[in-house]
Amino acid sequence: EVQLVESGGDLVQPGGSLRLSCAASGFTFSAFSMNWVRQAPGKGLEWVSYISGASSTIYYAGSVKGRFTISRDNAKNSLFLQMNSLTAEDTAVYYCARERYSSGSFMFDSWGQGTLVTVSS
Amino acid sequence: QSVLTQPPSVSGAPGQRVTISCTGSSSNIGAGYDVCWYQQLPGTAPKLLIYGNSNRPSGIPDRFSGSKSDTSASLAITGLQAEDEADYYCQSYDSSLSVVVFGGGTKLTVL
């Protein structure tokens, strides 16, 4: 069974940093691209970042580019998101999501339970 | 303002059929990028409902169906059940923004 478990969410002051982790199990982690998607309180979903299986390709949403860094450790089946220069607009539940391809289409087929990041003084 | 536009809410009685629209543009749905739909039950993570415009992952009931035409997509739910009450999101890719995009979400209320 595919499992994704996020951790690292916390209350942090504006301008601070936080590192999120996502522990994966139940599948060959290195074979899948992974994403971070966030959801502000009471709001919709927002894609944040993508990393390919071998970490050779990385993308960011414009709202986090230059402040967030996605990485992975395939030996430890783990995905990370280093978040710097945090602002109140970064307050959200952060989900890690596995990306899968089928019939020429990509999808986020498995999601973690999410971890809450609150940026406030 | 989301790149993909969904109605904020829809409702229907048990057993009825409802549809949720997702309107995009020539840089996303209209450009040929496929649409996925996700269901988010209260307090839980999103769950994949439809991929590739109209395909259901294993375990998703055939009461859920998706379609796509021009710059729009739709999710149809037939035989509404109380357990279908949730938020629904469409998702695609936008070539102008070079990002994955989601609709703003639609809250389904089962009356």
Side-chain angles (χ1 to χ4, degrees):
Chain A
E1 179 196 3
V2 173
Q3 271 206 315
L4 298 170
V5 180
E6 301 93 337
S7 61
D10 205 347
L11 170 64
V12 60
Q13 292 191 338
S17 298
L18 210 56
R19 189 192 196 210
L20 306 183
S21 299
C22 171
S25 61
F27 64 102
T28 303
F29 182 66
S30 60
F32 289 85
S33 298
M34 297 294 295
N35 292 262
W36 287 98
V37 177
R38 68 184 180 182
Q39 185 171 35
K43 302 297 184 182
L45 302 171
E46 179 189 14
W47 172 80
V48 173
S49 185
Y50 161 96
I51 186 168
S52 62
S55 303
S56 54
T57 303
I58 287 173
Y59 299 117
Y60 297 100
S63 56
V64 307
K65 199 168 187 179
R67 302 187 299 122
F68 289 12
T69 302
I70 191 172
S71 62
R72 63 191 296 162
D73 184 338
N74 288 341
K76 295 183 178 179
N77 292 337
S78 294
L79 174 72
F80 306 102
L81 186 67
Q82 176 67 42
M83 305 185 297
N84 299 330
S85 303
L86 287 163
T87 72
E89 285 66 47
D90 297 315
T91 295
V93 173
Y94 285 73
Y95 297 101
C96 64
R98 188 179 79 166
E99 185 170 312
R100 187 170 72 91
Y101 281 85
S102 179
S103 305
S105 298
F106 82 91
M107 68 207 78
F108 299 147
D109 72 331
S110 295
W111 298 64
Q113 86 289 350
T115 188
L116 176 62
V117 173
T118 303
V119 183
S120 175
S121 55
Chain B
Q1 199 79 336
S2 301
V3 173
L4 304 179
T5 301
Q6 298 180 234
S9 63
V10 297
S11 62
Q16 284 191 331
R17 178 182 187 269
V18 296
T19 61
I20 299 173
S21 61
C22 174
T23 303
S25 67
S26 58
S27 61
N28 41 68
I29 299 175
Y33 294 102
D34 287 343
V35 176
C36 295
W37 290 91
Y38 300 88
Q39 176 192 60
Q40 187 175 33
L41 297 170
T44 69
K47 173 185 174 182
L48 179 65
L49 211 56
I50 297 288
Y51 69 94
N53 306 316
S54 58
N55 301 290
R56 286 185 307 276
S58 60
I60 301 300
D62 59 7
R63 301 189 297 106
F64 295 90
S65 63
S67 63
K68 172 186 162 182
S69 179
D70 297 327
T71 58
S72 295
S74 288
L75 173 70
I77 309 172
T78 58
L80 262 184
Q81 300 178 3
E83 66 203 50
D84 298 332
E85 193 159 282
D87 293 325
Y88 292 83
Y89 294 90
C90 60
Q91 171 253 304
S92 186
Y93 179 82
D94 191 284
S95 57
S96 292
L97 300 172
S98 298
V99 297
V100 171
V101 289
F102 288 93
T106 298
K107 181 176 181 57
L108 168 62
T109 300
V110 180
L111 302 170

